[in-house]
Short mmCIF file of all heavy atoms in Angstrom, two decimals:
data_model
loop_
_atom_site.label_atom_id
_atom_site.label_comp_id
_atom_site.label_asym_id
_atom_site.label_seq_id
_atom_site.Cartn_x
_atom_site.Cartn_y
_atom_site.Cartn_z
N ARG A 228 26.07 10.20 -36.26
CA ARG A 228 26.01 9.37 -35.06
C ARG A 228 26.98 9.94 -34.03
O ARG A 228 28.17 10.12 -34.32
CB ARG A 228 26.37 7.92 -35.39
CG ARG A 228 25.47 7.29 -36.43
CD ARG A 228 24.16 6.79 -35.81
NE ARG A 228 23.20 6.45 -36.84
CZ ARG A 228 23.27 5.36 -37.59
NH1 ARG A 228 24.24 4.49 -37.40
NH2 ARG A 228 22.36 5.13 -38.51
N VAL A 229 26.46 10.18 -32.84
CA VAL A 229 27.26 10.85 -31.81
C VAL A 229 27.11 10.15 -30.47
O VAL A 229 25.99 9.88 -30.02
CB VAL A 229 26.85 12.33 -31.66
CG1 VAL A 229 27.69 13.01 -30.57
CG2 VAL A 229 26.98 13.07 -32.98
N ALA A 230 28.24 9.84 -29.86
CA ALA A 230 28.29 9.41 -28.45
C ALA A 230 29.47 10.14 -27.84
O ALA A 230 30.60 9.64 -27.84
CB ALA A 230 28.44 7.90 -28.33
N CYS A 231 29.23 11.35 -27.35
CA CYS A 231 30.29 12.27 -26.94
C CYS A 231 30.33 12.42 -25.43
O CYS A 231 29.32 12.70 -24.79
CB CYS A 231 30.08 13.64 -27.59
SG CYS A 231 31.32 14.86 -27.16
N GLU A 232 31.51 12.23 -24.84
CA GLU A 232 31.71 12.38 -23.40
C GLU A 232 32.73 13.49 -23.14
O GLU A 232 33.69 13.67 -23.89
CB GLU A 232 32.25 11.07 -22.81
CG GLU A 232 31.42 9.84 -23.11
CD GLU A 232 30.19 9.73 -22.23
OE1 GLU A 232 30.11 10.48 -21.24
OE2 GLU A 232 29.33 8.87 -22.52
N THR A 233 32.49 14.22 -22.06
CA THR A 233 33.39 15.31 -21.69
C THR A 233 33.83 15.16 -20.23
O THR A 233 33.04 14.71 -19.38
CB THR A 233 32.70 16.68 -21.88
OG1 THR A 233 32.24 16.79 -23.23
CG2 THR A 233 33.65 17.82 -21.57
N TYR A 234 35.06 15.52 -19.98
CA TYR A 234 35.62 15.48 -18.62
C TYR A 234 36.30 16.82 -18.36
O TYR A 234 37.04 17.33 -19.22
CB TYR A 234 36.64 14.34 -18.52
CG TYR A 234 37.51 14.34 -17.29
CD1 TYR A 234 37.07 13.74 -16.11
CD2 TYR A 234 38.77 14.93 -17.29
CE1 TYR A 234 37.88 13.72 -14.98
CE2 TYR A 234 39.58 14.93 -16.16
CZ TYR A 234 39.12 14.32 -15.01
OH TYR A 234 39.92 14.31 -13.89
N VAL A 235 36.04 17.41 -17.19
CA VAL A 235 36.72 18.66 -16.84
C VAL A 235 37.38 18.53 -15.47
O VAL A 235 36.88 17.85 -14.58
CB VAL A 235 35.76 19.88 -16.82
CG1 VAL A 235 35.16 20.13 -18.18
CG2 VAL A 235 34.66 19.72 -15.77
N THR A 236 38.51 19.20 -15.34
CA THR A 236 39.19 19.32 -14.05
C THR A 236 39.92 20.65 -14.07
O THR A 236 39.73 21.45 -15.01
CB THR A 236 40.13 18.13 -13.80
OG1 THR A 236 40.64 18.19 -12.46
CG2 THR A 236 41.29 18.11 -14.79
N MET A 237 40.75 20.91 -13.09
CA MET A 237 41.37 22.22 -12.99
C MET A 237 42.14 22.60 -14.26
O MET A 237 43.15 21.96 -14.59
CB MET A 237 42.31 22.27 -11.79
CG MET A 237 42.92 23.65 -11.53
SD MET A 237 44.12 23.66 -10.18
CE MET A 237 43.08 23.26 -8.79
N GLY A 238 41.65 23.58 -14.99
CA GLY A 238 42.33 24.09 -16.17
C GLY A 238 42.30 23.21 -17.39
O GLY A 238 42.98 23.50 -18.38
N LEU A 239 41.54 22.12 -17.40
CA LEU A 239 41.60 21.16 -18.49
C LEU A 239 40.22 20.61 -18.85
O LEU A 239 39.42 20.29 -17.97
CB LEU A 239 42.50 19.99 -18.10
CG LEU A 239 42.59 18.81 -19.06
CD1 LEU A 239 43.25 19.23 -20.38
CD2 LEU A 239 43.36 17.64 -18.42
N ILE A 240 39.97 20.48 -20.16
CA ILE A 240 38.78 19.82 -20.70
C ILE A 240 39.24 18.72 -21.64
O ILE A 240 40.10 18.93 -22.50
CB ILE A 240 37.89 20.80 -21.49
CG1 ILE A 240 37.44 21.96 -20.61
CG2 ILE A 240 36.68 20.08 -22.08
CD1 ILE A 240 36.67 23.04 -21.37
N ILE A 241 38.68 17.52 -21.48
CA ILE A 241 38.93 16.41 -22.41
C ILE A 241 37.60 16.01 -23.03
O ILE A 241 36.64 15.71 -22.31
CB ILE A 241 39.56 15.20 -21.70
CG1 ILE A 241 40.88 15.60 -21.05
CG2 ILE A 241 39.77 14.05 -22.69
CD1 ILE A 241 41.51 14.48 -20.21
N VAL A 242 37.53 16.01 -24.34
CA VAL A 242 36.32 15.61 -25.07
C VAL A 242 36.64 14.34 -25.85
O VAL A 242 37.59 14.31 -26.64
CB VAL A 242 35.85 16.72 -26.03
CG1 VAL A 242 34.55 16.30 -26.73
CG2 VAL A 242 35.65 18.03 -25.29
N GLY A 243 35.89 13.29 -25.60
CA GLY A 243 36.12 12.02 -26.28
C GLY A 243 34.83 11.36 -26.69
O GLY A 243 33.74 11.91 -26.52
N GLY A 244 34.96 10.14 -27.24
CA GLY A 244 33.77 9.40 -27.65
C GLY A 244 33.83 8.97 -29.09
O GLY A 244 34.90 8.99 -29.73
N GLU A 245 32.65 8.58 -29.62
CA GLU A 245 32.56 8.05 -30.97
C GLU A 245 31.62 8.91 -31.80
O GLU A 245 30.46 9.10 -31.43
CB GLU A 245 32.04 6.61 -30.95
CG GLU A 245 32.89 5.65 -30.13
CD GLU A 245 32.62 5.73 -28.65
OE1 GLU A 245 31.43 5.71 -28.27
OE2 GLU A 245 33.60 5.83 -27.86
N ILE A 246 32.12 9.42 -32.91
CA ILE A 246 31.31 10.25 -33.80
C ILE A 246 31.57 9.82 -35.24
O ILE A 246 32.72 9.68 -35.67
CB ILE A 246 31.65 11.75 -33.65
CG1 ILE A 246 31.29 12.23 -32.23
CG2 ILE A 246 30.92 12.58 -34.69
CD1 ILE A 246 31.59 13.68 -31.98
N THR A 247 30.46 9.58 -35.97
CA THR A 247 30.56 9.24 -37.39
C THR A 247 29.66 10.18 -38.17
O THR A 247 28.46 10.29 -37.88
CB THR A 247 30.13 7.78 -37.64
OG1 THR A 247 30.98 6.91 -36.89
CG2 THR A 247 30.23 7.44 -39.12
N THR A 248 30.23 10.87 -39.16
CA THR A 248 29.47 11.83 -39.98
C THR A 248 29.84 11.66 -41.44
O THR A 248 30.73 10.87 -41.79
CB THR A 248 29.81 13.28 -39.56
OG1 THR A 248 31.20 13.55 -39.89
CG2 THR A 248 29.60 13.51 -38.07
N LYS A 249 29.18 12.44 -42.29
CA LYS A 249 29.58 12.46 -43.69
C LYS A 249 30.98 13.09 -43.79
O LYS A 249 31.39 13.87 -42.91
CB LYS A 249 28.57 13.24 -44.51
CG LYS A 249 28.40 14.70 -44.14
CD LYS A 249 27.28 15.35 -44.94
CE LYS A 249 27.14 16.84 -44.58
NZ LYS A 249 26.03 17.48 -45.30
N PRO A 250 31.72 12.78 -44.83
CA PRO A 250 33.14 13.20 -44.91
C PRO A 250 33.37 14.70 -44.83
O PRO A 250 34.43 15.14 -44.37
CB PRO A 250 33.60 12.64 -46.26
CG PRO A 250 32.68 11.49 -46.53
CD PRO A 250 31.35 11.88 -45.95
N THR A 251 32.39 15.50 -45.27
CA THR A 251 32.60 16.95 -45.31
C THR A 251 32.33 17.65 -43.98
O THR A 251 32.59 18.84 -43.83
CB THR A 251 31.69 17.58 -46.38
OG1 THR A 251 30.33 17.23 -46.10
CG2 THR A 251 32.08 17.09 -47.77
N THR A 252 31.80 16.92 -43.01
CA THR A 252 31.48 17.54 -41.71
C THR A 252 32.74 17.73 -40.88
O THR A 252 33.52 16.80 -40.71
CB THR A 252 30.47 16.67 -40.93
OG1 THR A 252 29.27 16.56 -41.69
CG2 THR A 252 30.15 17.29 -39.58
N PHE A 253 32.91 18.94 -40.38
CA PHE A 253 34.06 19.24 -39.52
C PHE A 253 33.55 19.95 -38.27
O PHE A 253 32.85 20.97 -38.36
CB PHE A 253 35.08 20.12 -40.23
CG PHE A 253 36.25 20.51 -39.36
CD1 PHE A 253 37.20 19.57 -38.99
CD2 PHE A 253 36.38 21.81 -38.89
CE1 PHE A 253 38.27 19.92 -38.16
CE2 PHE A 253 37.44 22.17 -38.07
CZ PHE A 253 38.39 21.21 -37.72
N ILE A 254 33.87 19.44 -37.11
CA ILE A 254 33.39 19.99 -35.85
C ILE A 254 34.52 20.69 -35.12
O ILE A 254 35.55 20.07 -34.84
CB ILE A 254 32.79 18.87 -34.95
CG1 ILE A 254 31.74 18.08 -35.72
CG2 ILE A 254 32.20 19.47 -33.68
CD1 ILE A 254 30.62 18.91 -36.28
N ARG A 255 34.33 21.95 -34.82
CA ARG A 255 35.34 22.74 -34.11
C ARG A 255 35.16 22.56 -32.59
O ARG A 255 34.53 23.38 -31.91
CB ARG A 255 35.22 24.21 -34.51
CG ARG A 255 35.44 24.43 -36.01
CD ARG A 255 35.36 25.91 -36.37
NE ARG A 255 35.54 26.13 -37.79
CZ ARG A 255 36.71 26.22 -38.40
NH1 ARG A 255 37.82 26.11 -37.67
NH2 ARG A 255 36.79 26.41 -39.70
N VAL A 256 35.68 21.46 -32.10
CA VAL A 256 35.47 21.10 -30.70
C VAL A 256 36.01 22.17 -29.75
O VAL A 256 35.36 22.53 -28.76
CB VAL A 256 36.13 19.73 -30.40
CG1 VAL A 256 36.08 19.41 -28.91
CG2 VAL A 256 35.44 18.63 -31.21
N HIS A 257 37.18 22.71 -30.03
CA HIS A 257 37.76 23.72 -29.15
C HIS A 257 36.85 24.95 -29.07
O HIS A 257 36.64 25.51 -27.98
CB HIS A 257 39.15 24.13 -29.66
CG HIS A 257 40.21 23.12 -29.39
ND1 HIS A 257 40.16 21.84 -29.89
CD2 HIS A 257 41.37 23.20 -28.67
CE1 HIS A 257 41.24 21.17 -29.50
NE2 HIS A 257 41.98 21.96 -28.75
N ASP A 258 36.33 25.39 -30.20
CA ASP A 258 35.46 26.57 -30.21
C ASP A 258 34.18 26.31 -29.42
O ASP A 258 33.70 27.20 -28.71
CB ASP A 258 35.11 26.95 -31.65
CG ASP A 258 36.30 27.47 -32.43
OD1 ASP A 258 37.33 27.79 -31.80
OD2 ASP A 258 36.21 27.55 -33.68
N ILE A 259 33.61 25.11 -29.54
CA ILE A 259 32.39 24.77 -28.81
C ILE A 259 32.65 24.82 -27.31
O ILE A 259 31.85 25.38 -26.55
CB ILE A 259 31.88 23.38 -29.24
CG1 ILE A 259 31.40 23.41 -30.68
CG2 ILE A 259 30.75 22.91 -28.31
CD1 ILE A 259 31.16 22.05 -31.28
N CYS A 260 33.75 24.24 -26.87
CA CYS A 260 34.09 24.26 -25.45
C CYS A 260 34.17 25.68 -24.91
O CYS A 260 33.60 26.00 -23.85
CB CYS A 260 35.41 23.54 -25.20
SG CYS A 260 35.37 21.76 -25.48
N ARG A 261 34.89 26.54 -25.62
CA ARG A 261 35.09 27.90 -25.14
C ARG A 261 33.78 28.69 -25.19
O ARG A 261 33.52 29.52 -24.30
CB ARG A 261 36.20 28.59 -25.93
CG ARG A 261 37.55 27.89 -25.79
CD ARG A 261 38.70 28.72 -26.30
NE ARG A 261 39.89 27.89 -26.46
CZ ARG A 261 40.70 27.50 -25.47
NH1 ARG A 261 40.42 27.87 -24.23
NH2 ARG A 261 41.76 26.75 -25.71
N GLU A 262 32.95 28.44 -26.17
CA GLU A 262 31.67 29.13 -26.26
C GLU A 262 30.75 28.75 -25.09
O GLU A 262 30.12 29.61 -24.48
CB GLU A 262 30.98 28.79 -27.58
CG GLU A 262 29.61 29.43 -27.74
CD GLU A 262 28.89 28.95 -28.98
OE1 GLU A 262 29.55 28.46 -29.92
OE2 GLU A 262 27.65 29.06 -29.00
N VAL A 263 30.69 27.48 -24.77
CA VAL A 263 29.86 27.02 -23.66
C VAL A 263 30.34 27.65 -22.35
O VAL A 263 29.54 28.18 -21.57
CB VAL A 263 29.88 25.48 -23.55
CG1 VAL A 263 29.25 25.03 -22.23
CG2 VAL A 263 29.13 24.86 -24.73
N LEU A 264 31.63 27.62 -22.11
CA LEU A 264 32.18 28.19 -20.88
C LEU A 264 31.91 29.69 -20.78
O LEU A 264 31.57 30.21 -19.71
CB LEU A 264 33.68 27.94 -20.79
CG LEU A 264 34.11 26.49 -20.58
CD1 LEU A 264 35.61 26.34 -20.78
CD2 LEU A 264 33.72 26.00 -19.19
N ALA A 265 32.04 30.39 -21.90
CA ALA A 265 31.79 31.83 -21.90
C ALA A 265 30.33 32.13 -21.59
O ALA A 265 30.02 33.05 -20.81
CB ALA A 265 32.18 32.43 -23.24
N ASP A 266 29.42 31.37 -22.20
CA ASP A 266 27.99 31.58 -21.96
C ASP A 266 27.62 31.32 -20.50
O ASP A 266 26.76 32.00 -19.93
CB ASP A 266 27.16 30.68 -22.87
CG ASP A 266 27.19 31.12 -24.33
OD1 ASP A 266 27.64 32.25 -24.59
OD2 ASP A 266 26.77 30.33 -25.19
N ILE A 267 28.24 30.31 -19.89
CA ILE A 267 27.97 30.00 -18.49
C ILE A 267 28.48 31.10 -17.57
O ILE A 267 27.83 31.46 -16.58
CB ILE A 267 28.62 28.65 -18.11
CG1 ILE A 267 27.90 27.50 -18.82
CG2 ILE A 267 28.58 28.44 -16.59
CD1 ILE A 267 28.61 26.17 -18.69
N GLY A 268 29.64 31.65 -17.91
CA GLY A 268 30.21 32.72 -17.08
C GLY A 268 31.58 32.43 -16.53
O GLY A 268 32.08 33.18 -15.69
N TYR A 269 32.21 31.34 -17.00
CA TYR A 269 33.59 31.05 -16.58
C TYR A 269 34.54 31.87 -17.46
O TYR A 269 35.22 31.36 -18.34
CB TYR A 269 33.88 29.56 -16.70
CG TYR A 269 33.30 28.75 -15.56
CD1 TYR A 269 32.33 27.79 -15.78
CD2 TYR A 269 33.74 28.97 -14.26
CE1 TYR A 269 31.79 27.07 -14.73
CE2 TYR A 269 33.20 28.26 -13.19
CZ TYR A 269 32.23 27.30 -13.43
OH TYR A 269 31.70 26.59 -12.39
N SER A 270 34.58 33.18 -17.14
CA SER A 270 35.30 34.12 -17.99
C SER A 270 36.42 34.86 -17.27
O SER A 270 37.01 35.79 -17.81
CB SER A 270 34.30 35.15 -18.55
OG SER A 270 33.61 35.79 -17.48
N HIS A 271 36.69 34.43 -16.04
CA HIS A 271 37.71 35.13 -15.26
C HIS A 271 38.33 34.17 -14.25
O HIS A 271 37.66 33.28 -13.73
CB HIS A 271 37.09 36.32 -14.52
CG HIS A 271 38.09 37.29 -13.98
ND1 HIS A 271 38.75 37.08 -12.79
CD2 HIS A 271 38.53 38.48 -14.46
CE1 HIS A 271 39.57 38.10 -12.56
NE2 HIS A 271 39.45 38.97 -13.55
N GLN A 272 39.61 34.38 -13.97
CA GLN A 272 40.32 33.48 -13.06
C GLN A 272 39.75 33.51 -11.65
O GLN A 272 39.96 32.58 -10.86
CB GLN A 272 41.80 33.85 -13.02
CG GLN A 272 42.09 35.25 -12.51
CD GLN A 272 43.57 35.58 -12.57
OE1 GLN A 272 44.36 34.82 -13.08
NE2 GLN A 272 43.94 36.74 -12.03
N LYS A 273 38.97 34.54 -11.28
CA LYS A 273 38.39 34.60 -9.93
C LYS A 273 37.39 33.47 -9.70
O LYS A 273 37.08 33.15 -8.55
CB LYS A 273 37.72 35.95 -9.69
CG LYS A 273 36.48 36.22 -10.54
CD LYS A 273 35.91 37.60 -10.26
CE LYS A 273 34.71 37.90 -11.15
NZ LYS A 273 34.15 39.25 -10.91
N TYR A 274 36.87 32.88 -10.79
CA TYR A 274 35.95 31.75 -10.66
C TYR A 274 36.68 30.40 -10.76
O TYR A 274 36.04 29.36 -10.75
CB TYR A 274 34.87 31.82 -11.73
CG TYR A 274 34.01 33.05 -11.63
CD1 TYR A 274 33.82 33.88 -12.73
CD2 TYR A 274 33.39 33.40 -10.43
CE1 TYR A 274 33.03 35.02 -12.64
CE2 TYR A 274 32.60 34.54 -10.33
CZ TYR A 274 32.43 35.34 -11.44
OH TYR A 274 31.65 36.47 -11.34
N GLY A 275 38.00 30.44 -10.87
CA GLY A 275 38.78 29.21 -10.87
C GLY A 275 38.85 28.49 -12.20
O GLY A 275 39.49 27.44 -12.30
N PHE A 276 38.20 29.04 -13.23
CA PHE A 276 38.21 28.42 -14.55
C PHE A 276 37.93 29.51 -15.56
O PHE A 276 36.98 30.29 -15.40
CB PHE A 276 37.14 27.32 -14.63
CG PHE A 276 37.44 26.23 -15.62
CD1 PHE A 276 38.40 25.26 -15.35
CD2 PHE A 276 36.77 26.16 -16.84
CE1 PHE A 276 38.67 24.24 -16.24
CE2 PHE A 276 37.04 25.15 -17.75
CZ PHE A 276 37.99 24.19 -17.45
N ASP A 277 38.73 29.58 -16.60
CA ASP A 277 38.64 30.69 -17.55
C ASP A 277 38.63 30.14 -18.97
O ASP A 277 39.58 29.44 -19.36
CB ASP A 277 39.83 31.63 -17.34
CG ASP A 277 39.76 32.90 -18.18
OD1 ASP A 277 38.88 32.98 -19.06
OD2 ASP A 277 40.59 33.80 -17.96
N TYR A 278 37.60 30.46 -19.73
CA TYR A 278 37.51 29.93 -21.09
C TYR A 278 38.62 30.44 -21.99
O TYR A 278 38.94 29.81 -23.02
CB TYR A 278 36.14 30.25 -21.69
CG TYR A 278 35.97 31.65 -22.26
CD1 TYR A 278 36.23 31.91 -23.61
CD2 TYR A 278 35.52 32.70 -21.47
CE1 TYR A 278 36.05 33.18 -24.14
CE2 TYR A 278 35.34 33.96 -21.99
CZ TYR A 278 35.61 34.21 -23.33
OH TYR A 278 35.42 35.46 -23.85
N HIS A 279 39.23 31.54 -21.65
CA HIS A 279 40.33 32.07 -22.47
C HIS A 279 41.57 31.18 -22.41
O HIS A 279 42.30 31.04 -23.40
CB HIS A 279 40.74 33.47 -21.99
CG HIS A 279 39.69 34.51 -22.08
ND1 HIS A 279 38.87 34.84 -21.02
CD2 HIS A 279 39.31 35.31 -23.12
CE1 HIS A 279 38.04 35.80 -21.40
NE2 HIS A 279 38.29 36.11 -22.66
N THR A 280 41.84 30.58 -21.24
CA THR A 280 43.14 29.97 -21.00
C THR A 280 43.12 28.47 -20.72
O THR A 280 44.19 27.85 -20.67
CB THR A 280 43.81 30.65 -19.78
OG1 THR A 280 42.95 30.50 -18.63
CG2 THR A 280 44.04 32.13 -20.04
N CYS A 281 41.94 27.85 -20.55
CA CYS A 281 41.92 26.42 -20.22
C CYS A 281 42.44 25.59 -21.40
O CYS A 281 42.29 25.95 -22.57
CB CYS A 281 40.51 25.99 -19.84
SG CYS A 281 39.29 26.07 -21.17
#
Side-chain angles (χ1 to χ4, degrees):
R228 301 279 168 74
V229 179
C231 180
E232 306 281 348
T233 304
Y234 168 86
V235 298
T236 187
M237 185 184 295
L239 174 66
I240 301 174
I241 301 175
V242 183
E245 302 80 48
I246 296 180
T247 300
T248 66
K249 62 185 182 182
T251 56
T252 299
F253 178 71
I254 307 303
R255 299 182 181 277
V256 173
H257 285 60
D258 292 346
I259 292 167
C260 291
R261 298 193 195 281
E262 178 187 338
V263 168
L264 291 169
D266 288 347
I267 291 170
Y269 282 117
S270 56
H271 195 279
Q272 61 183 6
K273 66 182 177 181
Y274 298 127
F276 206 75
D277 186 350
Y278 82 91
H279 298 95
T280 58
C281 66

